[in-house]
Amino acid sequence: MSDPFRDNTDALLARLVSLMNEKDRLEQERDELKAQLRGDHVDRRPAPAADPRKPWVMLMVQGVPTEFRVPDIKIGRVASATMRIDHPSVARMHAIIEAYTVDNVRIIDLGSPEGTLVNGQRVNIRRLQSGDQIKLGEIEMVVTIRPA
């Protein structure tokens, strides 16, 4: 004979898992819509090939350097981010670094709850220079910019 209490518990657990999956999907959709409202395009394609005219941007995170030479460096927890940081204090799509020329590299916060700090100041948009210290949630990094 089946146990009605056990059957009800299994049904509730299945519903909970379903709701958690739906919540994740909705959060990702919300983050993508926020980015689009700010004029940023969030795509799911791999990062574009390096543009030989773009500057190199190196981000040193916890002693590990990562170099980029693409126009947009999307930073967040989502798999489609150019720089994926799997940490709970980092938003799914936290910030984007736009690198046009050596003298025109900027970071844009995408409405993240924890915010984006550059040299200790909370910013929405800020031009970056080599040596600037960036903090996304609890994650700290140092930026180096050099010509192509």
Side-chain angles (χ1 to χ4, degrees):
M1 199 186 284
S2 70
D3 180 4
F5 180 77
R6 175 72 177 178
D7 293 342
N8 192 32
T9 302
D10 290 345
L12 289 173
L13 284 174
R15 178 71 176 137
L16 178 62
V17 168
S18 173
L19 289 171
M20 289 172 63
N21 288 337
E22 179 69 7
K23 176 185 172 268
D24 287 345
R25 186 190 65 76
L26 290 171
E27 283 179 347
Q28 182 174 359
E29 185 177 322
R30 179 202 63 207
D31 291 345
E32 291 172 359
L33 289 172
K34 279 184 178 180
Q36 288 174 2
L37 287 173
R38 285 181 171 70
D40 301 316
H41 177 68
V42 179
D43 62 39
R44 297 184 180 282
R45 293 172 289 165
D51 183 339
R53 298 166 296 179
K54 299 295 178 192
W56 285 96
V57 176
M58 183 180 74
L59 299 173
M60 178 80 70
V61 182
Q62 297 175 342
V64 178
T66 305
E67 283 193 319
F68 302 92
R69 194 167 77 181
V70 294
D72 299 322
I73 304 165
K74 299 172 184 98
I75 306 171
R77 289 191 337 255
V78 296
S80 62
T82 313
M83 181 175 200
R84 186 170 184 269
I85 300 176
D86 191 20
H87 191 275
S89 69
V90 175
R92 294 173 64 80
M93 192 56 76
H94 197 107
I96 187 167
I97 295 176
E98 296 177 336
Y100 301 110
T101 65
V102 173
D103 297 323
N104 191 6
V105 177
R106 65 185 186 166
I107 189 166
I108 302 168
D109 181 78
L110 298 175
S112 60
E114 297 286 330
T116 298
L117 282 73
V118 176
N119 300 326
Q121 294 184 323
R122 190 172 180 134
V123 299
N124 289 324
I125 299 176
R126 170 82 181 265
R127 182 163 281 162
L128 295 174
Q129 300 175 12
S130 283
D132 280 345
Q133 296 182 358
I134 300 170
K135 188 171 182 184
L136 306 177
E138 297 175 17
I139 303 299
E140 296 179 8
M141 58 187 79
V142 178
V143 64
T144 301
I145 303 163
R146 64 182 176 87

